Amino acid sequence: MIFSTSEKDIAAAADILAHGGIVAIPTETVYGLGADALDAQAVAGIFRAKGRPADNPLIVHIADAEDLDKYAVATPEAYRLAEAFWPGPLTMILKKRDVIPDIVSAGLDTVAIRCPSDPTARRIIRLAGVPIAAPSANISGSPSPTAAKHVIHDFADRIDGVVDGGPCERGVESTVVSLVSDPPTLLRPGYITPEQLREYLPRLHIAQAVVQQLPDGEKALSPGLKHKHYAPAAYTTCVTGPAEHAARCINRSAYGYRDICVICFDEEKDMYPGLTVITYGGADDPAAQARGLFTALRTADAHGADRLFVRAKAYDGGVGLAVYNRLLRACGFNVIDAQKQHMTKVLGVTGPTGSGKSMLLQLAAENGCATISADEVYAYLLPELTDDIAAEFGSDILDRNGAICRRALAKKAFSCPEATARLCQITHPAVAQAVKERLSRLQDEGTERAVIEAIALVESGLSAACDLTLTVYSEYEVRLRRIMNRDGLTREQAKERIDAQKPLDYFISHTDLALLNDDTPQFKTEAVRIISRL
Ligand code: TXA
Ligand code: MG
């Protein structure tokens, strides 16, 4: 059942809660899966629905700060924090009063209490007339829900209802601080920052588990810290470091995944051509990142990505600490610093057909660079692509052995831009992936410099993997003659082929440098100068 925030709906939702039901409610942080905190049986239903380990205690939500002492032993410190931050995204761990059933606190003698600021949450709690125990309303281990549709996705009809209060204002769960430890300890960072807390708790200690992986077997102060969390289905890596370094790093990894997805900062959305890109806030706006993070992780899942990179900043304070803490758990502490990675310097060479690109590749090899020719990769891959290409262009492009006759294919595919585009749709992704795999291997081997040559450097997304890109071009007449000689074509056929391709302007406007190949010694000198600029 989906409830709106109308008086009538809220009263109905509160009534279900008052009678032992389970209803998901919006809060300013994330949606909570609520039940009457004083009813052990109702609370057991939360653990069942979520698949939550029994040793992970729940937060008790109250509508009014004055109720604090009813359920926990309030200390002067607790009152000061309540005064400063409630209602709001702060949870305090205090000694538990007996009215709170053991199941809520997972057998501990402490209890987590929070007074949310979301007006809908507070109205529901007030109307229910009982404190509400509520963990985040997601299946254990998956990203927290920041919209009603996330809750519905995870639970469908397995709970009694969801109150749809729209997207959550803050987007990460509350800050959890323990006041029973000495010194007081930040167990989970959230929207209320360590800096804000230190004004009231000068001795505040930050639990080791906030940004570090706990050694096996070590006891967590907060049971929630030891469980795997927020994990998307894809194999996930967080990449820190400057935007350009990170983009090179990510754009070069391919290793045979079906669908690579990048979650990045808003400003970086154009740095990953050819990959699925999801943004989650401005690079310098941790509050926006906090709002966008869980939706981004869920979107990557919905997209079916099997490899996920998340751009991250290693914040050590502020709201950003909460974002970083969630990301570390989402990727299982699999973080790479792009700035510290060994990166092969890569020059990408492109240009229209017949411009003499391969001459540049030869010069590169003579000057100590590793080289990759996309055309060679294409020839190597062709057997694998045969079925797809024949399905598109007909079996008369096959020779007697069932292999593709490159000449027959070229005749059909390079006769007009539309046919060329159809071939490219089949070949570009496969070639780009194979080139990236070779590049990753060179990188792993510690290669210093490499040159890639590809006519579709830009369209296939390969240029994003390069440090520098260059268009090599020649005069029309020169190109015509080169193609006629190379491929045994008539003048007319050679013209047709040139005209089916992207115009020179396209190449030049999408690369860093352009160089006229007029076959002179000056051309070679200039080409070597560019290569050595790497
Ligand atoms: O923003 C939030 O806090 C959301 C909304 C719904 O209020 N709730 C939430 O609940 O995030 P949950 O269950 O997903 O996370 C509660 C965290 C867990 O890490 C849990 O281990 C910790 O609080 N916790 C609860 N009771 C505790 C206790 N007595 N001692 C130490 N940690 C406790
Ligand atoms: Mg949770």
Side-chain angles (χ1 to χ4, degrees):
M1 174 87 102
I2 301 171
F3 297 103
S4 73
T5 52
S6 71
E7 265 331 303
K8 191 167 141 270
D9 274 21
I10 284 187
D15 193 54
I16 296 176
L17 286 167
H19 291 92
I22 299 182
V23 178
I25 60 171
T27 82
E28 72 278 21
T29 56
V30 302
Y31 277 71
L33 194 60
D36 176 357
L38 305 181
D39 178 344
Q41 255 190 334
V43 173
I46 294 179
F47 280 90
R48 264 198 311 276
K50 245 185 99 92
R52 183 170 175 113
D55 67 352
N56 196 0
L58 307 182
I59 296 175
V60 173
H61 296 70
I62 55 178
D64 297 285
E66 296 82 70
D67 288 346
L68 172 61
D69 198 54
K70 284 191 199 161
Y71 308 114
V73 181
T75 60
E77 250 170 358
Y79 281 123
R80 276 198 294 276
L81 289 180
E83 171 79 26
F85 301 111
W86 277 2
L90 177 71
T91 296
M92 296 188 236
I93 312 291
L94 293 162
K95 280 264 174 285
K96 172 176 105 62
R97 297 239 182 245
D98 289 341
V99 282
I100 298 292
D102 283 342
I103 186 169
V104 172
S105 59
L108 300 174
D109 60 356
T110 56
V111 64
I113 311 260
R114 147 164 145 82
C115 176
S117 63
D118 184 279
T120 303
R122 297 176 72 202
R123 270 158 65 205
I124 294 172
I125 301 168
R126 254 188 218 131
L127 280 175
V130 286
I132 299 295
S136 50
N138 54 289
I139 298 286
S140 269
S142 72
S144 291
T146 52
K149 67 169 188 237
H150 299 161
V151 180
I152 295 162
H153 172 273
D154 280 15
F155 295 103
D157 293 334
R158 287 185 292 119
I159 55 178
D160 299 312
V162 184
V163 179
D164 187 348
C168 298
E169 192 186 346
R170 301 298 180 212
V172 283
E173 306 90 334
S174 60
T175 304
V176 179
V177 63
S178 170
L179 298 180
V180 294
S181 63
D182 186 33
T185 306
L186 177 74
L187 300 180
R188 181 175 75 183
Y191 191 79
I192 305 291
T193 66
E195 296 80 3
Q196 283 175 293
L197 289 173
R198 283 212 169 97
E199 281 192 36
Y200 302 86
L201 304 170
R203 294 190 311 129
L204 181 76
H205 167 72
I206 297 184
Q208 191 196 351
V210 166
V211 289
Q212 276 176 41
Q213 195 159 20
L214 282 179
D216 272 354
E218 182 136 328
K219 194 165 174 286
L221 280 177
S222 176
L225 289 177
K226 74 172 186 231
H227 295 291
K228 194 176 174 198
H229 250 109
Y230 320 116
Y235 169 48
T236 305
T237 303
C238 283
V239 184
T240 62
E244 286 72 25
H245 286 66
R248 303 258 149 78
C249 235
I250 293 169
N251 281 316
R252 282 177 198 180
S253 359
Y255 282 131
Y257 288 96
R258 191 172 26 78
D259 188 354
I260 302 178
C261 177
V262 185
I263 296 179
C264 65
F265 303 124
D266 297 347
E267 301 84 335
E268 301 173 356
K269 70 177 186 342
D270 296 327
M271 298 175 85
Y272 301 96
L275 305 184
T276 303
V277 176
I278 301 165
T279 58
Y280 78 112
D284 297 316
D285 190 350
Q289 294 161 23
R291 263 195 310 277
L293 178 65
F294 289 134
T295 297
L297 291 173
R298 282 178 176 263
T299 307
D301 266 352
H303 196 273
D306 57 346
R307 181 73 172 106
L308 175 62
F309 292 97
V310 187
R311 284 283 291 131
K313 283 198 178 180
Y315 292 100
D316 57 6
V319 180
L321 181 63
V323 176
Y324 189 49
N325 164 273
R326 306 308 189 268
L327 279 177
L328 286 174
R329 278 156 182 82
C331 71
F333 290 85
N334 178 15
V335 184
I336 56 177
D337 179 346
Q339 193 148 35
K340 293 197 185 130
Q341 290 293 104
H342 168 77
M343 297 284 267
T344 303
K345 291 277 182 203
V346 180
L347 170 69
V349 179
T350 189
T353 193
S355 301
K357 295 185 287 296
S358 41
M359 241 179 253
L360 223 122
L361 218 55
Q362 200 182 324
L363 286 171
E366 286 165 13
N367 282 274
C369 294
T371 61
I372 303 174
S373 151
D375 204 45
E376 267 170 34
V377 170
Y378 169 62
Y380 173 83
L381 287 180
L382 210 49
E384 280 175 39
L385 301 174
T386 302
D387 290 350
D388 289 347
I389 295 176
E392 187 67 44
F393 291 96
S395 53
D396 49 332
I397 57 151
L398 301 177
D399 63 19
R400 242 177 289 147
N401 304 319
I404 285 182
C405 167
R406 282 191 73 172
R407 232 175 232 197
L409 175 61
K411 219 170 162 186
K412 277 198 162 176
F414 299 138
S415 56
C416 69
E418 181 268 332
T420 308
R422 277 192 291 137
L423 179 62
C424 292
Q425 238 166 30
I426 301 172
T427 58
H428 283 180
V431 172
Q433 166 132 335
V435 170
K436 285 181 188 178
E437 279 174 18
R438 288 189 188 193
L439 201 51
S440 310
R441 221 167 299 137
L442 291 177
Q443 200 149 283
D444 293 348
E445 289 163 3
T447 306
E448 286 302 324
R449 295 183 304 158
V451 178
I452 302 176
E453 180 237 326
I455 190 164
L457 191 80
V458 176
E459 304 95 299
S460 64
L462 279 173
S463 54
C466 301
D467 296 271
L468 190 67
T469 53
L470 166 71
T471 295
V472 176
Y473 64 100
S474 293
E475 276 168 22
Y476 193 79
E477 238 346 279
V478 179
R479 291 172 61 201
L480 269 185
R481 261 183 286 118
R482 281 207 191 108
I483 301 173
M484 286 161 64
N485 284 341
R486 186 187 66 195
D487 300 339
L489 301 179
T490 66
R491 201 179 167 77
E492 280 316 305
Q493 287 168 324
K495 267 191 176 162
E496 202 178 63
R497 193 167 295 185
I498 287 181
D499 292 343
Q501 288 180 351
K502 292 228 156 40
L504 179 58
D505 274 358
Y506 173 85
F507 291 91
I508 293 183
S509 63
H510 285 86
T511 50
D512 302 317
L513 305 169
L515 178 63
L516 173 70
N517 178 359
D518 52 7
D519 252 336
T520 58
Q522 286 91 319
F523 159 71
K524 287 193 181 168
T525 314
E526 187 57 22
V528 171
R529 210 180 55 79
I530 291 172
I531 292 165
S532 58
R533 260 177 65 175
L534 275 182

